Amino acid sequence: MAESKAVIGLKWEPNLPTLLIQSSKIKSQNDSQSASLWKPNQQLIDGLFLPPNDPSKINKLIRKQVKDTAGSAWFDMPAPTLTPELKKDLQLLKLRGAIDPKRHYKKDSKSKALPKYFQVGTVVESVTDYYSGRMTKKERKPTLADELLSDPTVRQYRKRKVREIEEQNRPAGNEKWKIKGRQTFKRAKQRRH
């Protein structure tokens, strides 16, 4: 009799009932199962996770586990986590019309909410702009807010605008107590009677 050698590397998989799901959903379920390994004890049967038989519950599970992306039309762009720095940069981009007085932009959407899907990149200068359009290492800052605060032209414009607003809102000394216009005749009549 021929001796059979033990095969190394075999793995055991339980026979689970097959579910009628479209092939695209199966792929996303397999990806998401690896992401969420821990399940509560109520969902485990003999230590194994068995998906429910109800199709609506299955779809709900799949929707929970699918990664949050902008869709295939946007090449499945993921939704990044919003850090405080990113939030400030996005708010600055929303208010970009107030930064430079000589540059005009199209009207932004009326919603004040920040975008959910976006990507952040770095600008790479071309070799031809080595002396003319390139920023020096001192001028480069980690965030857009830091870059705008350190820019001297934006700083001058901001100071001028703040000064103008303060002059408008400042009381004009004795001028606010002086009586002007038709009010003087009414008050004069009231004093006479």
Side-chain angles (χ1 to χ4, degrees):
M1 244 174 119
E3 292 181 26
S4 62
K5 293 185 180 179
V7 180
I8 299 173
L10 288 179
K11 64 179 186 175
W12 176 82
E13 291 182 15
N15 291 328
L16 298 176
T18 57
L19 302 171
L20 297 174
I21 302 173
Q22 294 175 353
S23 62
S24 63
K25 291 184 180 178
I26 291 173
K27 286 181 186 177
S28 63
Q29 186 179 12
N30 290 341
D31 294 341
S32 59
Q33 280 180 351
S34 63
S36 59
L37 295 175
W38 184 83
K39 299 286 180 194
N41 286 338
Q42 298 135 353
Q43 294 180 356
L44 298 179
I45 298 170
D46 293 334
L48 299 173
F49 173 70
L50 291 177
N53 289 332
D54 187 17
S56 63
K57 288 184 180 178
I58 292 171
N59 289 337
K60 192 174 180 182
L61 274 172
I62 290 170
R63 264 186 264 124
K64 271 187 189 176
Q65 295 174 348
V66 170
K67 291 183 180 177
D68 193 17
T69 63
S72 61
W74 287 92
F75 305 102
D76 295 322
M77 183 191 320
T81 55
L82 272 180
T83 61
E85 293 85 16
L86 272 178
K87 199 171 187 178
K88 284 179 188 174
D89 285 351
L90 289 173
Q91 287 170 342
L92 272 172
L93 284 174
K94 281 243 179 226
L95 298 170
R96 67 182 183 263
I99 294 172
D100 191 3
K102 296 186 174 150
R103 188 171 288 173
H104 301 285
Y105 299 95
K106 281 186 180 178
K107 197 169 190 178
D108 203 10
S109 63
K110 291 181 182 178
S111 68
K112 294 183 179 180
L114 298 174
K116 187 175 182 183
Y117 305 104
F118 61 91
Q119 288 182 339
V120 180
T122 55
V123 177
V124 179
E125 294 94 5
S126 67
V127 181
T128 58
D129 293 337
Y130 188 75
Y131 291 107
S132 61
R134 186 176 66 95
M135 290 176 64
T136 60
K137 282 188 178 179
K138 259 188 184 176
E139 292 171 343
R140 290 187 184 137
K141 302 292 179 200
T143 62
L144 187 65
D146 294 337
E147 206 167 297
L148 284 173
L149 287 173
S150 66
D151 190 15
T153 56
V154 174
R155 190 182 303 139
Q156 286 175 348
Y157 174 69
R158 194 177 66 241
K159 279 185 182 179
R160 183 171 56 86
K161 279 294 176 187
V162 167
R163 205 176 319 116
E164 287 174 6
I165 292 169
E166 284 176 350
E167 285 174 9
Q168 284 177 352
N169 295 338
R170 184 178 25 175
N174 294 337
E175 295 295 318
K176 67 178 180 181
W177 289 298
K178 288 186 180 177
I179 301 169
K180 295 179 180 178
R182 301 189 79 205
Q183 298 291 330
T184 57
F185 297 117
K186 286 183 184 176
R187 290 202 178 118
K189 272 187 182 177
Q190 288 172 357
R191 276 186 255 138
R192 276 186 251 139
H193 295 293

